[in-house]
Amino acid sequence: MTSTSLDAGVGEALLAPGAPTWLRVEHLREAMGITNTRPRFSWALPTGTGPAATTAQTAYQITASNGWDTGRLASSQHNLVLYSGPALESRSRFEWRVRTWTTDRTGAEAESPWSEPMPVELGLLHAWDWMAQWIGPEEPVVAAPGGRPGFALRKTFALDTTPGFARAYATAHGIYELFLNGERVGDQQLTPGSTSYNTTLQVQAYDVTALLHPGTNTIRAILTDGWYRGTFGFTRDADMYGTHTAFLAQLEMLSGGRTRMIGTDGSWLASETEILSADLMAGQRVDFRIPEDSVRGEVATAARAAVTQGYETLTGPVAPPTRIVEELAPVAVTRLASGHQVVDFGQNIHGWVRLTRLGAPGETVTLVHGEALDGNGDVTQDHLRPLDFRNPGQFLAAGQVDEVTGSGAPGEVFEPRHTTHGFQYLSVRGLTADLAPEDITACLVQTDLEPLGSFTCSDERLNKLHEIVEWSFRDNACEVPTDCPQREKAGWTGDWQLFIPTAAYLYDVAGFSRKWLNDVRADQWENGVIANISPSPGPDTTSADFMAFVNGSAGWGDAIVMVPWELYLATGDAGILAENWEAMKRWAGFVRTAAESNRHADRAAASPTPAPHEQYLWDTGFHWGEWMEPDGPEPDLFAARSADHGIVATAYYRNSTALLAKVAQVIGRAEEAVALAELSENIRRAWEKEYLDSSGHVTQPSQANCLPRARL
């Protein structure tokens, strides 16, 4: 009898649905410092097992610690439910939880337990929330790009008691790290991240309550060039957003019902640090013999207060933060005849290494990062050196070189968190002692994306190919979707429109992509052209402005349509379509004008009078076309400027207008949907008339390889 009762109890426990999981606020699993006052809430339904496996949600209830209570609402919606509680203001904080009513395979309805709570906290929403001023180090002479030192900015203050609650808000023109009483604040990397700084600058919010204590406290930031003014991209341009770094921070402490604020201003002290230089492309050089917060041993100076800087571009997080998401141990360490030690981590990654065995005091160790080895077994960077557009026929340095000079202090560790590299191999030069595997670790640095899907099959070759594809994505998922983790690290639009269906299957890339799309819209030209690369300060800011003509290319510009649509298919978030709608239309307008107003010179020479269908052919302007075709001719950038790539461009024109018709239908623009669908059909007929022969075969088969994914 006892045994039977126990078995029944176990059966009920197995069949009963659990609580909702996977709580999200605007695609974020961490909603700290957000600046959206009407966020949306999502959750995954409880599962259940056997006959009690969940088939549908029939109702839900959300409650929050700020008094929001939806009551039981009959609804199947569990994705992107709009907040409807008390008005949210700067610093609003609450926890929310949800329970659901679901049906199972038998049709029975069950009420779930409450989910675990998820905290939500808003950051500073208004300019008047800031009492802090922008500050920066004095630089009477600014060093050459790639060789600029890191600066420290600090302030000491006293507390009578430990605050019961404390927050720090920080951002920078450059890359910053924040410390309180010697402890690094948070685990985010490369803050404030990569954005189109002229329009968007992210602010990070931190809970620092546990780092403060009665008596003397010190807040300190390390500031380097980063994306703001460091060398970047294929052309190694610098100072793209400004010529001087700057820092903004505000510490707010609540104790005994009173709030005390300490913000950056001219009273902070500025000094150089042990970071001799730090650059995302060139690398980082450190000399631990330099005392902390000194200028080569001299007294620190007052910080320059840049009071002219504003707060208009400040925003909270939209994407997950960048972190060290995995650490790799060496699979081999080899000492060469040259004395160099080559470390193989077994996998190409994006990030840096953590070195715990340094040289003797005063001994400089050089770390050269690369993806391949030469004939002597050492790291080679020959294939990573970009062409020097200023000096045709010559190449720029590959960069990816770090240096560290040890002081001999116990526990000294070199971890260059103000640069990043793409590498599998590391050549360690100048270190007399033999490295053991435990002396060095590779840190994979990427946006902290949550895995969703996976792929395996019975063919190990396909499994290996999939593994390579996934690693390639992970190495290019740092802040923005990039083309490569070593030579450029640039957010090429065409790359992401091609890969996002795969990425969205494997990872939750909604917030990651939404943040990047903010930059794509910000970088859109007045005439509707979508820039090839985002974030980007614009062609007039780079040394390669003579290449501005390559922007507006088919496939690359079409990312503004294709990426939001793929995100909608993956998440059901029509809001992503709505917020990109105007940019989509402006791009489509640019293409339509080009198609209707211009004809390719060869076509015009063959027939001065255009055929009626030619108004739908997009055959002018620069297009990458079948770029880097396997076994094809070597790409010629300037020849492509005048080539007829209409077969590709018109196909993308057709694809994007077809998608725009679907977008319009989803967001409630029925009349526009009809007009766009009609235009898309006309483009399809024109393409077939122009580029198919009488047998229905493509007349330019090599170019057909790069047609858009959607069927014509």
Side-chain angles (χ1 to χ4, degrees), residues 269-338:
L269 297 179
S271 59
E272 294 183 11
T273 68
E274 72 277 4
I275 300 177
L276 303 180
S277 65
D279 185 85
L280 285 170
M281 306 303 293
Q284 184 168 329
R285 296 166 50 238
V286 168
D287 188 343
F288 282 119
R289 296 173 299 175
I290 298 175
E292 186 177 283
D293 297 344
S294 68
V295 185
R296 303 295 182 266
E298 298 175 6
V299 178
T301 61
R304 168 180 54 84
V307 295
T308 57
Q309 297 290 343
Y311 311 94
E312 297 79 12
T313 62
L314 303 184
T315 185
V318 175
T322 293
R323 291 189 170 106
I324 296 173
V325 298
E326 190 172 334
E327 296 184 354
L328 282 69
V331 298
V333 180
T334 305
R335 171 79 77 170
L336 304 179
S338 62

Side-chain angles (χ1 to χ4, degrees), residues 641-652:
R641 187 174 188 175
S642 58
D644 183 353
H645 287 302
I647 185 174
V648 173
T650 305
Y652 271 101

Side-chain angles (χ1 to χ4, degrees), residues 525-601:
W525 296 8
E526 287 297 322
N527 63 355
V529 163
I530 294 295
N532 280 333
I533 297 172
S534 280
S536 171
D540 295 336
T541 313
T542 71
S543 65
D545 58 352
F546 67 91
M547 288 178 55
F549 68 85
V550 303
N551 292 280
S553 172
W556 277 252
D558 292 285
I560 191 60
V561 179
M562 298 172 73
V563 171
W565 180 252
E566 291 294 338
L567 288 174
Y568 169 71
L569 294 180
T571 67
D573 186 357
I576 290 176
L577 300 179
E579 66 189 14
N580 288 283
W581 172 249
E582 291 301 325
M584 293 180 191
K585 287 206 306 178
R586 289 177 59 206
W587 164 251
F590 161 76
V591 177
R592 185 170 186 172
T593 298
E596 294 177 353
S597 304
N598 303 306
R599 298 175 72 206
H600 192 272

Side-chain angles (χ1 to χ4, degrees), residues 28-29 189-190 193-194 227 318-325 350 444-451 473-481 507-509 511-513 515:
L28 297 172
R29 64 180 185 268
Q189 306 293 342
L190 305 175
S194 173
W227 291 274
V318 175
T322 293
R323 291 189 170 106
I324 296 173
V325 298
H350 171 265
L444 173 61
V445 178
Q446 69 168 82
T447 299
D448 193 3
L449 303 175
E450 188 164 10
F473 168 57
R474 296 182 71 188
D475 291 344
N476 283 292
C478 181
E479 286 294 319
V480 299
Y507 289 89
D508 181 1
V509 295
F512 175 71
S513 301
K515 167 181 172 283

Side-chain angles (χ1 to χ4, degrees), residues 597-630:
S597 304
N598 303 306
R599 298 175 72 206
H600 192 272
D602 292 346
R603 186 169 286 103
S607 175
T609 302
H613 75 279
E614 290 187 38
Q615 64 180 303
Y616 301 111
L617 300 180
W618 185 22
D619 60 356
T620 56
F622 173 88
H623 300 287
W624 299 99
E626 183 58 84
W627 195 254
M628 299 297 289
E629 179 185 357

Side-chain angles (χ1 to χ4, degrees), residues 147-163:
R148 295 164 178 166
F151 291 92
L153 299 162
R154 75 181 190 276
K155 185 176 182 67
T156 299
F157 57 96
L159 294 176
D160 295 331
T161 61
T162 300

Side-chain angles (χ1 to χ4, degrees), residues 33-55:
I34 64 172
T35 49
N36 185 345
T37 58
R38 299 199 71 198
R40 298 168 298 171
F41 296 72
S42 306
W43 58 89
L45 300 182
T47 53
T49 57
T54 299
T55 58

